[in-house]
């Protein structure tokens, strides 16, 4: 710091050092100082001097500053100072005061020279790319500004260095993702300079996801309401897309066109547009035009036009077009944009024809625009834009051309006069006092006739009422009348272009034109005169019109045959003079300008002379007219013969083409019929095959059921049952019901016997109470009880055996029911149809042997048989359902009988318990009771007891 004080102005008694000396000392300090702080202070001092002493710092310090960038990269502060110093030296963005002191040219040269010195070593640019990668703000931001300045001064050279540098473009693309807006915004400016006029870098930037990032930035900034950042992003997008077919295709395929629609969503309140919003919207419209420019490949333009229609972008542009309060320049650019979006695209043109202006009553947008075009109070650029829009609407649009011409025809003119049509506006402009309206209306009407011979003939029917009391004249006659009146040059040029377009390739229109005897003398008179430069253009167009009248003349008028017109030119004008006057057209400066692009762009209304499509017509006809003028009568005759021969040949070819076309249509119809009949035949064959297979299946099932029925009959016969199917099943059911009734009766008898036994048991209980009266009576009751107990035991055994037999019979009945169910489910449906199937099978086999043309009737018969089989199946299924109901009833009855058996078993068990309890009581009373196991030894026990009693006696 002491060194800086001494150098930069501490108190000193001696003379002050000059700026160059100070800079030299600072450079020496930067080069020789070993302390980083000293070098940093010296570089900071150089930065402060670099704006005022730009030349001295650039010459003396550039090498040292580059060395600092290479060696002191670890210190971000000194690197930032060095980059700022280099930027001040190389950049030409001086302040207004400095710009007043220095002229523009030396400044430009100085910055360019320093840039050339810096990039002479390509390593310097590579080093700068490396520094731009640093995240430190004090390094990255000045690095971005320096690189932008280098690109401004020596763009192509720096672009080439960055292009060959590894990952050079990719490093710079990272600037768009920086969270610091200052660096991001300057990164956009850097990429603007980087992508200028370099298709290779444009492709790399586009494929580094630039479209996505830039559109995100525009959306974040508020679309058209955004600030200067939106403008910079739009300029960068234009650099990437303009004249770059690859990037345009990538933009469309990436569905980025759809993201442009929100840009044009303007509110209802369109007052108070800011200057920045106007600029942004203007650039957005230009970006749309870049994608659909007529200079692009037709396929790419068409795909972008379709995408804009499907995403609603065209509809949004038409909304702006018909809105109120839109600034004039935005409205003009919107009209130009809509023009190119619909140009040559039938879908978009049809939509535009359907757009109505928000008026009462609603009017078509085309009519509203034409009203502006023929209104001389409207701005010139707006009228040119409307004319371009009308031309684009009619370009390759025969449907639209027919609709415009139809508004001029007598049958379609609105007699009430409530609405103004496009044709009426064009006629009004064609014959107004404003020459610009005359020219615009003539060119617009010429586009309605472009390459459409049918409409050229129909336009001959148009009649105009010139004044009250005078008969109407044709539109063609009125145009020639205005020509002969000597109006302004612009008006005559417009009318001559209309007439040339109208008469070209239309012999009938030529005949109508020549039928007026004043037209040919007027043309020859105009061509033969020696007029000034302003009239030379009119002379050239008159020569072209006369040449068209000769070339497309069908010699239907005797006085104006080709040969006579040529003789007239030879006598009054001269062939060489005629060809010279014809050449005035393409030598005109305004002709060359109009031939460059379709859009009419003129610096002033006076320069509005030629139409782009008309220049194409001139190129096409100029040569053939020159040849036609020099042809002799014999050559004309030969040409006529050749034309007639060609016409005959063409007629023959057309006839044969028509015949071939009709035969092709008949062949296509026959092929379709053959295909239909073939498919029907295949379907019928498949149906017959299916029916045959079904018949065979029915036969197999029938045979199988026969075998099964034989086996089942033998099985039932072995048990003594004559079991038959179908009709016999009801008898089996009745037999089962009878057996069930018998078993119910047996159950009732058993229940009665049980009641009797219960009464016996009760009697035994009562007898036990009377037992102790007398010994004799006791013995008597004893023997009686024994007898009763023995009888009771036997009856219990009989009941048990009967119950076992009953359970066996019930199980047997259940088995028979199951067998009957299985036979019902398997045999009945098939056997129910066996007779009908056997009858139909023989008929079907006979019908299959007939010819193929009876196939439809056979299939119909088979379908009827199929329906009958379905009816039989339904009836058999209903029979099965009835049998199943009967079976379920039987099962319920068997279950009830089984329940009753269980109840009987429970009663028998209770009786056994009661008997055992009675036996125990009898034993307690001293009455001997034999158990079941002691039945065999019961008699021996009685004899022993009798013997004991005798001994006691």
């Amino acid at each position: 710091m002491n060194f800086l004080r001494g150098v930069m102005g501490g108190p000193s008694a001696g003379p002050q050092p000059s700026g160059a000396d100070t800079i030299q000392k600072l450079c020496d300090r930067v080069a020789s100082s070993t302390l980083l702080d000293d070098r940093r202070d010296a570089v900071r001092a150089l930065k402060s001097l670099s704006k005022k002493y730009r030349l001295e710092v650039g010459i003396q310090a550039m090498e040292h500053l580059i060395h600092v960038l290479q060696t002191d990269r670890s210190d971000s502060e000194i690197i930032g100072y060095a980059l700022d110093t280099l930027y001040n030296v190389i950049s030409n963005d001086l302040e207004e005061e400095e710009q007043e002191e220095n002229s523009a040219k030396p400044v430009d040269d100085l910055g360019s020279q320093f840039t050339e010195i810096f990039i002479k070593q390509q390593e310097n640019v590579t080093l700068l790319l490396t520094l731009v990668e640093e995240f430190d703000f004090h390094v990255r931001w000045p690095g971005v500004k320096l690189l932008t300045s280098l690109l401004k001064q020596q763009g192509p050279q720096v672009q080439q260095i960055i292009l060959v540098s590894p990952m050079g473009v990719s490093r710079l693309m990272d600037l768009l993702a920086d969270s610091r807006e200052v660096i991001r915004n300057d990164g956009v400016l850097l990429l603007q300079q980087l992508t200028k006029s370099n298709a290779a870098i444009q492709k790399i930037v586009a494929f580094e996801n630039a479209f996505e990032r830039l559109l995100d930035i525009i959306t974040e900034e508020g679309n058209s309401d955004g600030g200067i950042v939106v403008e910079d992003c739009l300029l960068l997008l234009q650099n990437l897309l303009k004249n770059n077919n690859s990037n345009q295709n990538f933009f469309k395929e990436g569905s980025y066109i759809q993201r442009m629609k929100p840009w044009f969503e303007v509110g209802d309140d369109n007052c108070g547009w800011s200057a920045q919003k106007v600029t942004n919207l203007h650039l957005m419209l230009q970006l749309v035009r870049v994608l659909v420019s007529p200079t692009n490949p037709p396929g790419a333009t068409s795909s972008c036009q379709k995408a804009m229609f499907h995403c609603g972008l065209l509809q949004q542009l038409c909304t702006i077009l018909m809105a109120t309060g839109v600034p004039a320049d935005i409205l003009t650019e919107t009209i130009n944009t809509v023009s190119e979006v619909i140009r040559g695209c039938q879908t978009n043109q049809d939509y535009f024809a359907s757009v109505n202006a928000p008026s009462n009553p609603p009017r078509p947008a085309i009519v509203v625009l034409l009203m502006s075009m023929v209104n001389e109070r409207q701005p010139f650029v707006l009228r040119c834009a409307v004319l371009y829009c009308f031309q684009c609407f009619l370009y390759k649009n025969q449907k639209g051309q027919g609709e415009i011409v139809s508004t001029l025809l007598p049958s379609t003119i609105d007699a009430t006069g409530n609405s103004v049509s496009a044709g009426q506006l064009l006629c009004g402009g064609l014959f107004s006092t404003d020459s610009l309206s005359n020219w615009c209306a003539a060119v617009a009407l010429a586009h309605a006739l472009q390459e459409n011979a049918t409409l050229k003939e129909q336009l001959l029917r148009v009649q105009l009422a010139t004044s009250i009391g005078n008969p109407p004249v044709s539109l063609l006659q009125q145009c020639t009348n205005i020509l002969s009146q000597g109006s302004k040059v612009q008006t005559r040029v417009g009318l001559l272009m209309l007439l040339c377009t109208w008469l070209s390739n239309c012999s009938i229109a030529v005949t109508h034109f020549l039928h007026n005897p004043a037209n040919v003398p007027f043309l020859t008179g105009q061509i033969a005169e020696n007029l000034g430069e302003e009239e030379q253009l009119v002379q050239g167009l008159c020569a072209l019109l006369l040449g068209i009248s000769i070339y497309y003349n069908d010699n239907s008028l005797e006085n104006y045959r080709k040969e006579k017109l040529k003789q007239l030119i030879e006598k009054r004008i001269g062939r060489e003079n005629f060809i010279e006057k014809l050449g005035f057209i393409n030598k005109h400066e305004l002709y060359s300008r109009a031939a460059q692009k379709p859009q009419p762009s003129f610096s002033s209304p006076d320069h509005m002379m030629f139409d782009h499509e008309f220049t194409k017509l001139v190129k096409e006809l100029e040569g053939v007219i020159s040849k036609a003028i020099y042809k002799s009568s014999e050559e004309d005759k030969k040409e006529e013969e050749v034309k007639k021969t060609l016409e005959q040949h063409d007629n023959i070819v057309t006839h044969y083409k028509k015949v071939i076309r009709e035969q092709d249509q008949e062949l296509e119809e026959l092929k379709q019929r053959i295909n239909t009949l073939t498919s029907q035949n295949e379907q019928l064959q498949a149906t017959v095959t299916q029916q045959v297979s079904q018949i065979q299946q029915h036969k197999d099932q029938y045979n199988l059921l026969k075998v099964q029925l034989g086996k089942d009959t033998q099985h039932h016969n072995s048990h003594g049952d004559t079991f038959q199917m179908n009709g016999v099943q009801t008898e089996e059911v009745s037999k089962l019901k009878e057996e069930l009734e018998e078993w119910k009766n047996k159950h009732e008898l058993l229940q009665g016997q049980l009641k009797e036994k219960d009464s016996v048991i009760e009697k035994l209980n009562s007898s036990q109470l009377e037992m102790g009266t007398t010994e004799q009576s006791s013995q008597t009751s004893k023997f009686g009880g024994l007898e009763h107990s023995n009888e009771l035991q036997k009856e219990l055994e009989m009941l048990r055996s009967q119950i076992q037999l009953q359970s066996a019979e019930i199980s047997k009945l259940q088995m028979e029911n199951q067998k009957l169910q299985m036979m019902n489910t398997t045999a009945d449906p098939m056997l129910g149809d066996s007779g009908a199937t056997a009858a139909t099978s023989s008929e079907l086999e006979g019908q299959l042997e007939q010819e193929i043309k009876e196939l439809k009737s056979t299939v119909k018969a088979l379908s009827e048989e199929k329906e009958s089989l379905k009816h039989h199946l339904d009836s058999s299924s209903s029979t099965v359902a009835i049998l199943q109901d009967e079976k379920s009833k039987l099962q319920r009855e068997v279950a009830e009988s089984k329940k009753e058996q269980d109840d009987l078993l429970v009663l028998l068990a209770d009786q056994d318990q009661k008997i055992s309890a009675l036996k125990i009581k009898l034993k307690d009373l001293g009455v001997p009771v034999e158990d079941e196991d002691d039945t065999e030894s019961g008699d021996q026990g009685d004899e022993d007891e009798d013997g004991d009693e005798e001994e006691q006696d």
Side-chain angles (χ1 to χ4, degrees), residues 51-52 58 86 89 104 186 189 268 287 300 348 361 418 450 454 462 492 542 565 572 611 620 724 816 835 847 865:
K51 290 186 178 180
K52 186 174 183 180
L86 288 172
V89 169
D186 282 349
L189 297 175
D268 296 333
L287 191 62
N348 294 4
N418 292 331
Q450 199 78 34
T454 305
V462 177
R492 286 182 286 164
C542 288
L565 290 174
R572 295 192 179 181
D611 173 58
E620 179 185 348
Q724 296 180 356
E816 290 178 354
Q847 290 174 352
E865 293 295 334

Side-chain angles (χ1 to χ4, degrees), residues 779-804:
Q779 290 179 354
T780 305
S781 62
K782 176 182 177 181
F783 287 112
L786 288 172
E787 290 176 357
H788 283 296
S789 63
N790 290 331
E791 291 177 359
L792 183 61
Q793 190 68 32
K794 290 178 181 180
E795 289 178 357
L796 288 172
E797 289 295 331
M798 289 174 64
L799 287 172
R800 285 177 179 173
S801 63
Q802 289 177 356
I803 289 169
Q804 289 177 357

Side-chain angles (χ1 to χ4, degrees), residues 221-371:
E221 295 292 327
N223 294 327
S224 60
D225 294 324
I228 190 71
V229 180
V230 174
E231 179 182 349
D232 294 336
C233 290
L234 292 170
L235 290 172
L236 177 54
L237 284 172
Q238 282 193 17
N239 286 351
L240 296 175
L241 292 172
K242 195 170 185 178
N243 300 323
N244 194 318
N245 300 329
S246 175
N247 283 1
Q248 289 175 6
N249 186 59
F250 181 68
F251 190 84
K252 178 184 72 67
E253 296 295 334
S255 299
Y256 296 119
I257 291 178
Q258 287 82 339
R259 297 188 60 179
M260 298 169 71
K261 182 187 175 185
W263 296 355
F264 306 102
E265 292 178 355
V266 296
D268 296 333
D269 186 12
N270 293 321
C271 58
W273 288 46
S274 65
Q276 187 61 55
K277 182 175 181 178
V278 172
T279 303
N280 291 344
L281 202 55
H282 198 273
L283 290 172
M284 290 172 177
L285 292 168
Q286 287 183 348
L287 191 62
V288 175
R289 295 184 64 186
V290 166
L291 296 172
V292 292
S293 174
T295 58
N296 294 342
T301 300
S302 177
S303 59
C304 289
Q305 287 173 334
K306 292 177 182 177
M308 290 177 183
F309 174 76
H310 290 302
C311 74
L313 179 58
L314 174 60
Q315 293 84 332
Q316 202 65 46
L317 292 174
C318 290
T319 303
I320 298 177
L321 196 66
M322 295 292 104
T324 57
V326 179
D329 51 349
I330 294 297
L331 182 60
T332 303
E333 190 63 23
T334 304
I335 294 172
N336 289 326
T337 306
V338 171
S339 305
E340 296 183 350
V341 172
I342 68 174
R343 187 176 189 270
C345 181
Q346 188 66 51
T347 304
N348 294 4
Q349 289 168 339
D350 291 343
Y351 171 76
F352 184 70
S354 66
V355 175
N356 289 324
S359 60
N360 190 15
R363 288 178 176 174
I366 298 174
V367 173
V368 176
L369 292 175
L370 288 177
M371 292 172 69

Side-chain angles (χ1 to χ4, degrees), residues 73-118:
R73 291 184 57 184
S74 59
D75 185 68
S76 61
E77 191 173 356
I78 192 174
I79 294 294
Y81 292 148
L83 291 172
D84 284 333
T85 306
L86 288 172
Y87 173 74
N88 292 336
V89 169
I90 291 174
S91 175
N92 288 327
D93 298 334
L94 301 177
E95 296 181 357
E96 294 180 0
E97 297 178 357
E98 295 176 350
Q99 287 180 355
E100 291 176 358
E101 296 176 1
N102 301 295
S103 62
K105 187 172 182 181
V107 169
D108 291 340
D109 291 340
L110 190 62
S112 178
Q113 290 172 5
F114 282 134
T115 302
E116 190 173 354
I117 294 171
F118 184 84

Side-chain angles (χ1 to χ4, degrees), residues 68 140 169 214 239 490 633 662 727 887 922:
V68 168
R140 195 171 204 182
V169 179
L214 291 173
N239 286 351
Q490 191 175 41
S633 59
E662 291 175 355
K887 186 195 74 172
L922 290 173

Side-chain angles (χ1 to χ4, degrees), residues 884-942:
Q884 286 179 351
D885 293 336
E886 293 293 336
K887 186 195 74 172
S888 60
K889 290 180 182 179
L890 292 174
Q891 286 179 348
R892 287 196 296 271
E893 291 176 357
V894 170
E896 291 176 358
S897 62
K898 188 175 180 182
K899 185 176 180 183
E900 292 175 356
Q901 288 178 1
D902 293 338
D903 294 337
L904 289 174
L905 290 174
V906 172
L907 290 173
L908 290 174
D910 292 338
Q911 288 179 356
D912 288 338
Q913 291 178 0
K914 289 179 181 179
I915 291 170
S916 60
L918 290 173
K919 286 181 179 180
I920 293 170
K921 289 182 180 180
L922 290 173
K923 287 180 180 180
D924 291 340
L925 294 172
V927 179
V929 180
E930 295 181 355
D931 294 332
E932 293 178 359
D933 296 335
D934 299 334
T935 306
E936 296 179 355
S937 59
D939 296 338
Q940 183 67 33
D942 293 337

Side-chain angles (χ1 to χ4, degrees), residues 33-78:
S33 180
T34 57
L35 295 176
L36 179 62
D37 291 339
D38 290 344
R39 293 199 302 275
R40 186 190 304 120
D41 293 338
V43 173
R44 184 191 295 116
L46 285 172
K47 174 188 173 184
S48 62
L49 294 172
S50 60
K51 290 186 178 180
K52 186 174 183 180
Y53 300 100
R54 179 184 177 191
L55 178 62
E56 291 79 2
V57 173
I59 293 174
Q60 300 181 37
M62 181 175 288
E63 185 178 354
H64 301 295
L65 293 172
I66 293 173
H67 184 70
V68 168
L69 296 178
Q70 293 172 345
T71 57
D72 292 332
R73 291 184 57 184
S74 59
D75 185 68
S76 61
E77 191 173 356
I78 192 174

